Amino acid sequence: MSQHSIIERLRGKFGDAIGAWREMAEGSEYQRRMGSYLEILAPQSLLDICFFLRDESELQFDSLLLISSVDNADSTLSVVYHIESTILGNHLAFKVTLPADDAHLPSVTSVWAHANWHEREAWDMMGVHFDGHPDHRRILLDEDWPGHPLRKDFKEPAFYHGMKVPY
Amino acid sequence: MPEILERRTIKHSTLATTTHVHAPEEVERGRLRTEEMVLNMGPQHPSTHGVLRLEVVLDGEIVVDVIPHIGYLHRCFEKHAEALTYPQIIPYVDRMDYISAMSGEHGYVTAVERMMNVEVPEKVEYIRVLFAELQRIASHLIAIGTYGLDAGAFTPFLYCLRDRESILEMFEKTCGARFLYNYMWVGGLSHDLHPDVLGMCRAFVKVNRETHTEVNNLLTFNHIFVERTANIGILDPLVAVNCGASGPMLRGCGVKWDIRKNDPYSIYDRFDFDVAVGSNDLGTLGDAFNRHWVRMLEWEQSLNIIEQILEQYPRNDMTDVQSAIPRRLKAPAGEIYSRTETPRGELGYYIVSRGDVKPWRVKVRSPAFSNLSILPLISRGYLIADLVVILGSIDIVLGEVDR
């Protein structure tokens, strides 16, 4: 099943929740396959879409490769999911864009257990809140660290527990 | 059954009942009042292979839960990368997976080259694959040696380090560095292959095949080692895929998945090698022993690849290894996810570019990070003494977990 027919399946099932397919216009075969992504316009139906992608017999996306978060510097954040089917060999990336000051997404830990630590990292580094996550804590930084460092407007504190931060 | 196993006459009994006394089944629960205890293992503990803290919840000697606390080595590579140009990032990549820096570099330069559509000369590809495979052996030697240490066997560790030394000598001769190389550049290499290295490599393969047999005899088929590692930390293949396991951790469960075969990069499609998977011969599919066994098999496969490279290497090719390096490294606007198979598993780089000399965002999918997240799942219900062996079988590098 090609990437285009996968998207047609998703459009047929979820309609307006599925946005545009962003493809690199020119480029190698690899760039078109691994550099394209699907926009998802309705964050609230993300969980249903993920279950559909995993459980539908023609799709079988059984493996989540990674969850990345990107600060677009226009007061929006993007969360990108790369998934793959180890059975059928398909690859798909989809992107959800959220307002930076109120970034909430449903957690997909119940679909792919691998999401657990990746979502914690996205919360820690970018400040995306994942609703329904079983263990919503920071992962790499201390619990009381101020702010989320990968935001483009992050300013490191001058002192942290009496220690000078910028060196 | 692999040939090497058949030649061995000893058959070990590794039934779960002999290796493992699961107290919850033996003791009638509820008759004794037990109290849970929390034990901190690490961050300064020799068998955590770096600075990792495990919060272990114990019921007597039985592990009820493990909560890994990571981040002690966190340097925020991803933030650094946003402030650096593409070639400046390479030394930082070295310091992530410091046990196999060449493999990390190979993954990163492949990602940037795919993003920028750079064609790399054939000779450079051969040198890269040669070094990546040598690095895979060096990394597996450390993994196997220290795994022996974890299980209480000291001698194989010394044998492993001796052979690793010859690999480091080859690297040192070529690029001057032994550990953190900054050797692979976008579009080329920092130095051409040293003329002595091919000869050294040929001698090394010969010696190393003997070491492989020796380590198998000393460690892999050692009764104590098998009893210690078989049937613990069992991971189901379906769960492994769902949890994002990769590398020997995934193949140890019997899933035939290797990026070198499933999504080939560089010139791996030219070589003939097998994807090693675990088996039920000694121990159970997906247990700690099988992860070790897959590493042993992969070591042999890497030697096969190196032998093929030595045959095919274009000796008379006088191409300058820096000829294809772009003058101005400016990636076109867009994004890409590129992955390679490192000794620990699938190393992926997700790079977003806005057409600048610096990346807008670099996210690393680190195999050790994903593999470590499975630790709680596979260590519940085992003895605390087994926890060390299970953790060792994952083969984590904390530089890569914390980034």
Side-chain angles (χ1 to χ4, degrees):
Chain A
M1 211 176 188
S2 73
Q3 278 176 329
H4 286 282
S5 44
I6 292 168
I7 292 149
E8 284 316 308
R9 280 298 301 274
L10 283 172
R11 286 231 170 85
K13 174 90 178 156
F14 294 99
D16 292 343
I18 310 296
W21 171 247
R22 303 278 174 191
E23 198 169 42
M24 274 200 171
E26 58 238 36
S28 63
E29 185 271 331
Y30 190 87
Q31 279 172 328
R32 280 202 302 280
R33 186 160 56 89
M34 301 297 257
S36 313
Y37 62 88
L38 182 70
E39 279 180 349
I40 290 193
L41 303 174
Q44 67 277 7
S45 53
L46 181 71
L47 205 56
D48 293 334
I49 294 170
C50 288
F51 271 120
F52 181 74
L53 284 166
R54 190 192 70 176
D55 295 334
E56 191 67 15
S57 60
E58 286 174 2
L59 306 172
Q60 297 194 52
F61 284 101
D62 52 353
S63 163
L64 172 80
L65 296 176
L66 80 162
I67 298 174
S68 340
S69 47
V70 184
D71 186 352
N72 300 318
D74 55 358
S75 44
T76 59
L77 305 176
S78 292
V79 181
V80 192
Y81 298 77
H82 285 261
I83 56 172
E84 183 167 58
S85 165
T86 56
I87 303 153
L88 304 170
N90 293 324
H91 178 271
L92 183 72
F94 53 91
K95 195 180 245 187
V96 194
T97 303
L98 308 159
D101 50 0
D102 181 33
H104 276 267
L105 262 185
S107 164
V108 296
T109 318
S110 49
V111 189
W112 299 289
H114 187 202
N116 190 327
W117 279 25
H118 278 278
E119 284 179 352
R120 277 177 69 188
E121 194 190 325
W123 159 246
D124 192 358
M125 292 290 144
M126 198 63 88
V128 183
H129 202 284
F130 291 92
D131 301 318
H133 190 283
D135 187 18
H136 204 282
R137 287 180 293 132
R138 281 179 183 266
I139 187 162
L140 293 167
L141 299 174
D142 278 329
E143 276 302 324
D144 58 352
W145 182 264
H148 303 282
L150 281 184
R151 294 255 182 135
K152 294 281 179 186
D153 56 1
F154 174 75
K155 292 265 186 304
E156 74 257 35
F159 286 92
Y160 175 69
H161 287 293
M163 293 176 280
K164 197 166 169 290
V165 175
Y167 55 90
Chain B
M1 195 192 243
E3 197 190 331
I4 195 153
L5 279 179
E6 282 168 349
R7 271 189 271 124
R8 304 282 304 184
T9 47
I10 316 161
K11 258 285 174 193
H12 303 301
S13 63
T14 47
L15 294 169
T17 45
T18 60
T19 50
H20 237 71
V21 184
H22 281 265
E25 293 161 12
E26 300 282 312
V27 180
E28 210 181 311
R29 303 277 286 179
R31 277 182 63 193
L32 290 170
R33 195 180 66 86
T34 55
E35 219 165 82
E36 283 184 356
M37 183 175 83
V38 178
L39 186 79
N40 264 310
M41 189 170 144
Q44 309 295 339
H45 189 284
S47 72
T48 54
H49 298 258
V51 272
L52 165 73
R53 182 160 71 90
L54 296 177
E55 195 181 320
V56 191
V57 184
L58 292 169
D59 181 358
E61 269 193 282
I62 309 292
V63 175
V64 177
D65 201 5
V66 182
I67 303 147
H69 291 271
I70 61 173
Y72 290 90
L73 210 56
H74 179 61
R75 296 142 292 178
C76 214
F77 161 78
E78 290 167 11
K79 188 79 177 173
H80 276 296
E82 288 172 11
L84 298 166
T85 62
Y86 287 98
Q88 282 174 343
I89 295 173
I90 298 171
Y92 285 77
V93 172
D94 280 339
R95 280 147 186 83
M96 279 201 304
D97 186 354
Y98 46 77
I99 300 290
S100 56
M102 281 287 183
S103 311
E105 283 174 17
H106 196 191
Y108 174 73
V109 295
T110 309
V112 179
E113 281 158 9
R114 277 169 165 172
M115 186 123 195
M116 299 172 55
N117 255 332
V118 180
E119 280 291 324
V120 182
E122 194 186 28
K123 182 183 169 189
V124 172
E125 292 282 24
Y126 270 106
I127 300 173
R128 279 186 186 173
V129 173
L130 174 67
F131 276 17
E133 289 308 311
L134 282 172
Q135 183 76 83
R136 190 183 310 277
I137 295 176
S139 169
H140 280 349
L141 283 168
I142 289 272
I144 290 160
T146 52
Y147 194 40
L149 280 185
D150 285 344
F154 195 80
T155 320
F157 178 65
L158 301 175
Y159 283 53
C160 290
L161 279 204
R162 184 195 61 195
D163 272 40
R164 178 172 174 266
E165 186 62 26
S166 342
I167 297 175
L168 297 190
E169 265 168 27
M170 284 183 246
F171 291 163
E172 189 182 9
K173 254 207 163 140
T174 300
C175 67
R178 287 167 54 82
F179 205 50
L180 304 163
Y181 313 99
N182 189 16
Y183 178 62
M184 294 184 195
W185 290 356
V186 179
L189 302 166
S190 73
H191 298 79
D192 201 344
L193 196 66
H194 192 277
D196 292 354
V197 168
L198 289 178
M200 287 165 81
C201 205
R202 199 163 287 119
F204 165 76
V205 171
K206 227 175 150 191
V207 175
N208 199 237
R209 282 207 187 272
E210 282 165 25
T211 313
H212 183 267
T213 320
E214 232 165 19
V215 172
N216 258 341
N217 288 338
L218 269 174
L219 190 69
T220 313
F221 303 127
N222 184 314
H223 199 125
I224 303 167
F225 179 76
V226 175
E227 295 285 308
R228 191 87 170 78
T229 57
N231 300 320
I232 57 164
I234 299 170
L235 180 61
D236 182 80
L238 289 176
V239 177
V241 172
N242 193 265
C243 291
S246 57
M249 185 109 176
L250 181 63
R251 293 191 282 275
C253 313
V255 182
K256 221 170 183 151
W257 187 264
D258 190 320
I259 306 298
R260 291 177 293 174
K261 286 269 191 207
N262 292 81
D263 190 6
Y265 56 98
S266 198
I267 49 167
Y268 274 106
D269 47 356
R270 295 188 195 178
F271 306 114
D272 179 35
F273 63 98
D274 293 332
V275 177
V277 286
S279 67
N280 267 318
D281 297 337
L282 292 172
T284 320
L285 196 65
D287 64 357
F289 176 80
N290 266 300
R291 292 193 270 280
H292 165 81
W293 178 234
V294 165
R295 273 183 207 110
M296 291 302 293
L297 294 174
E298 272 185 24
W299 173 2
E300 218 171 9
Q301 294 302 325
S302 289
L303 285 173
N304 291 346
I305 296 176
I306 290 169
E307 272 176 348
Q308 290 170 48
I309 296 170
L310 290 175
E311 268 170 38
Q312 297 177 17
Y313 184 75
R315 278 180 188 71
N316 303 321
D317 190 346
M318 283 302 152
T319 320
D320 181 9
V321 289
Q322 303 198 344
S323 58
I325 296 178
R327 289 275 165 82
R328 276 175 65 77
L329 275 164
K330 220 175 190 183
E335 56 181 71
I336 204 164
Y337 176 68
S338 164
R339 60 213 176 141
T340 52
E341 185 79 25
T342 72
R344 264 152 277 283
E346 178 182 335
L347 173 70
Y349 285 94
Y350 172 69
I351 302 177
V352 182
S353 160
R354 291 209 166 174
D356 198 4
V357 290
K358 296 171 185 173
W360 180 256
R361 173 85 166 93
V362 179
K363 158 88 187 175
V364 188
R365 186 240 192 247
S366 124
F369 179 80
S370 301
N371 288 349
L372 181 64
S373 70
I374 308 172
L375 178 72
L377 203 71
I378 56 175
S379 47
R380 282 181 201 132
Y382 294 100
L383 299 175
I384 182 153
D386 293 337
L387 180 62
V388 171
V389 180
I390 295 171
L391 178 64
S393 75
I394 302 177
D395 182 25
I396 47 166
V397 170
L398 264 301
E400 195 184 44
V401 173
D402 295 343
R403 280 157 289 149

